[in-house]
Amino acid sequence: MCAVNRALALPLIIPMLQTEIAVMRFGLGARPGDLQAAAADPRGWLRAQTQGAVALTGAGPLTPSDQIIAAALAAREERRERKRDSAAPAAAAEANALGNALREVYQPHYHAQVLARAQSAAATTRPFGERLVHFWSNHFAISADKGAIYGLAGALENEAIRPHVNGRFIDLLTAAVTHPAMIVFLDNQLSAGADSAAARLAATRFGAARAAAAPPRGQFGINENLAREILELHTLGVDGGYTQQDVTSFAQIITGWSVGGGGGRLAGGEVGRFYFRDNLHQPGGKTLLGKSYPQYGEAQGLAVLADLATHPSTAHFIATKLVRHFVADDPPAAAVERVTRAYRESGGELPRVYAALIDAPEAWDAQLRKFKTPEDFVFSTLRALEAAPQKSPEVIRSFELLGQRQYTPGSPAGWADTAKSWDGPDALMHRVLWASRVAERFEKGQSALDLAASCLGGFARPETLAALKRAASGSQALALLLMSPEFQRR
């Protein structure tokens, strides 16, 4: 196994390494001064970061999602009008010319969100809080490769997750799954009950026989995407005890969960904000996981979320993911049980859950078990060098090279959180290439030995320090530090 990928073991848990573990494992990597800031009380330093919202640090203001959606709707309407006004022979060319209208609206916002995220990760004094934001953003993953949300993925993180990351899970869950970006990513705005008021009206207008033979454009039906992902990925987990019938029932329960500001049957509501469309909701009581929900309308779905948030399977699923992320790819059972118990006893009070994670002895094992994802690698490098990026293209290119394009995991399952997804030969070669480029850019005025002390502390191995001293140049020494086994792990 490649040395950079091998878990690093020290013979015992040395008290002085508690500071390094707090900063490197729980945080985003050490900036100069971080180890000193956490040294007096590493656990207290972490607990202090689990209170209140986690705001962006060092980044300019970002456009709210409702304004982004409003601009996209306006661009789409302009495109439609221009196509209608185009002469028939020129219609195809006009369509092609206007085909990038939405992308042109969204792209500046995507770039701004990616840059703001990198700047915040590089500069924050609450790196544990920032890492928790990233963890939950991946838990409630959406992917910017779907054109309709290209400029909205970062908005979900900043508007739904940052305000609730240190609150109750039910509030975080509700904010995330009702955010317009999540609704659109999983197509819930297209979900309509067969017995909804809108469906009955359509049947009356078109006639039952005609509707059956040739349903009108935009026919009514249930979309199960959001319901399935809430059960499988956000709460209970794939082995959480639900059935396909539960998925279908939940999908009916959340019919009408939509976004305001559309046209046709999607007209109404505040543009770009969550909007419950009563006329699309499947009426009547429903059963989920053996429990009846007689509530009507939006309240029915909210009641289900409240029960899912406190379900024992949810507690275990989330505890397992947290321990896997912070401790080891193979989560230690004792740590999972400790975090699960804290979740259940507190009803999903996240600071209590995080405290149990911090108190887990397994989290303070001196063995560096977690191989850094590209995101971890880039952000810890920026922090070590005190280098906040100023232009979005450099950030985007870095993550594209390393295989983790920001806000683009490709599926609702999010990015993988284990080494086997990131430690292949090609991936390591790309890391070497990126580290070399960074080293050439930042080596002036930098001492790799000093950086090793400030960003690795007691984890800096004698072999690494000796290699830095033997390096032929400052840039080579810095590249060796960034690719050292102890910098590649946390």
Side-chain angles (χ1 to χ4, degrees), residues 297-318:
E298 182 184 355
Q300 196 172 56
L302 295 176
V304 171
L305 289 186
D307 287 340
L308 291 175
T310 55
H311 195 282
S313 293
T314 299
H316 185 266
F317 180 60
I318 289 174

Side-chain angles (χ1 to χ4, degrees), residues 78-87 91 94-95 98:
E78 179 184 1
R79 179 178 61 180
R80 288 172 177 166
E81 290 180 1
R82 291 175 64 182
K83 286 174 67 176
R84 284 194 296 266
D85 294 341
S86 297
E94 187 73 11
L98 295 170

Side-chain angles (χ1 to χ4, degrees), residues 23-78:
V23 174
M24 293 170 56
R25 181 171 300 158
F26 287 88
L28 296 172
R31 300 172 75 231
D34 278 357
L35 296 178
Q36 291 86 339
D41 183 6
R43 287 170 174 80
W45 182 76
L46 293 172
R47 291 191 188 97
Q49 299 177 47
T50 65
Q51 303 299 318
V54 178
L56 284 165
T57 301
L62 298 172
T63 305
S65 59
D66 59 337
Q67 295 181 25
I68 298 172
I69 293 172
L73 290 175
R76 180 181 297 172
E77 183 57 31
E78 179 184 1

Side-chain angles (χ1 to χ4, degrees), residues 140-475:
F140 295 106
I142 60 177
S143 192
D145 51 0
K146 181 170 183 173
I149 65 155
Y150 176 41
L152 298 174
L156 185 147
E157 177 176 282
N158 297 320
E159 297 170 359
I161 293 174
R162 288 186 181 278
H164 301 288
V165 67
N166 288 325
R168 301 186 307 158
F169 178 70
I170 179 57
D171 297 328
L172 176 62
L173 171 66
T174 304
V177 302
T178 61
H179 191 276
M182 183 71 74
I183 296 290
V184 174
F185 179 60
L186 295 175
D187 300 312
N188 206 73
Q189 79 280 13
L190 304 178
S191 189
D195 301 316
S196 64
R200 293 197 303 271
L201 178 61
T204 300
R205 286 181 174 177
F206 288 89
R210 180 181 173 188
R217 183 181 180 186
Q219 61 181 313
F220 297 90
I222 300 296
N223 187 303
E224 296 184 348
N225 291 350
L226 180 58
R228 185 180 305 279
E229 306 311 355
I230 291 175
L231 295 173
E232 178 180 328
L233 300 176
H234 302 158
T235 58
L236 305 177
V238 67
D239 298 319
Y242 65 89
T243 66
Q244 174 56 41
Q245 181 55 48
D246 290 320
V247 174
T248 301
S249 180
F250 191 23
Q252 293 175 338
I253 287 170
I254 59 175
T255 48
W257 286 26
S258 186
V259 182
R265 80 182 196 198
L266 297 181
E270 293 185 60
V271 176
R273 293 182 178 272
F274 174 80
Y275 181 56
F276 177 72
R277 300 183 186 281
D278 184 73
N279 66 322
L280 299 182
H281 182 67
Q282 176 70 12
K286 303 170 187 72
T287 300
L288 180 68
L289 298 173
K291 179 176 179 178
S292 297
Y293 291 89
Q295 297 89 343
Y296 181 78
E298 182 184 355
Q300 196 172 56
L302 295 176
V304 171
L305 289 186
D307 287 340
L308 291 175
T310 55
H311 195 282
S313 293
T314 299
H316 185 266
F317 180 60
I318 289 174
T320 301
K321 289 191 70 172
L322 280 166
V323 175
R324 179 181 296 116
H325 183 78
F326 283 95
V327 180
D329 290 358
D330 185 12
V336 172
E337 174 56 30
R338 175 189 289 267
V339 178
T340 300
R341 185 168 59 250
Y343 187 106
R344 295 186 64 177
E345 291 175 353
S346 69
E349 293 285 344
L350 294 177
R352 291 267 303 275
V353 175
Y354 305 150
L357 178 66
I358 293 168
D359 290 337
E362 298 82 1
W364 298 90
D365 190 323
Q367 188 168 358
L368 296 176
R369 299 181 182 275
K370 291 296 295 184
F371 185 69
K372 289 181 179 179
T373 65
E375 186 173 277
D376 287 333
F377 180 36
V378 170
F379 292 156
S380 59
T381 298
L382 293 176
R383 291 182 68 79
L385 297 172
E386 292 188 288
Q390 300 302 314
K391 297 180 180 180
S392 59
E394 61 181 308
V395 180
I396 292 171
R397 285 195 299 270
S398 292
F399 283 109
E400 287 179 342
L401 172 67
L402 296 172
Q404 195 175 19
R405 190 172 188 269
Q406 293 287 269
Y407 300 125
T408 316
S411 84
W415 296 106
D417 201 13
T418 56
K420 64 182 181 181
S421 298
W422 304 111
D423 65 357
D426 287 345
L428 292 176
M429 285 303 300
H430 286 138
R431 292 193 186 211
V432 171
L433 176 60
W434 186 79
S436 299
R437 290 174 179 174
V438 169
E440 290 173 359
R441 179 178 175 185
F442 288 99
E443 63 94 5
K444 290 185 179 180
Q446 299 278 8
S447 164
L449 287 170
D450 290 344
L451 284 173
S454 65
C455 70
L456 295 175
F459 276 115
R461 301 176 308 143
E463 301 94 320
T464 296
L465 298 178
L468 300 184
K469 293 176 182 177
R470 293 194 303 267
S473 64
S475 62

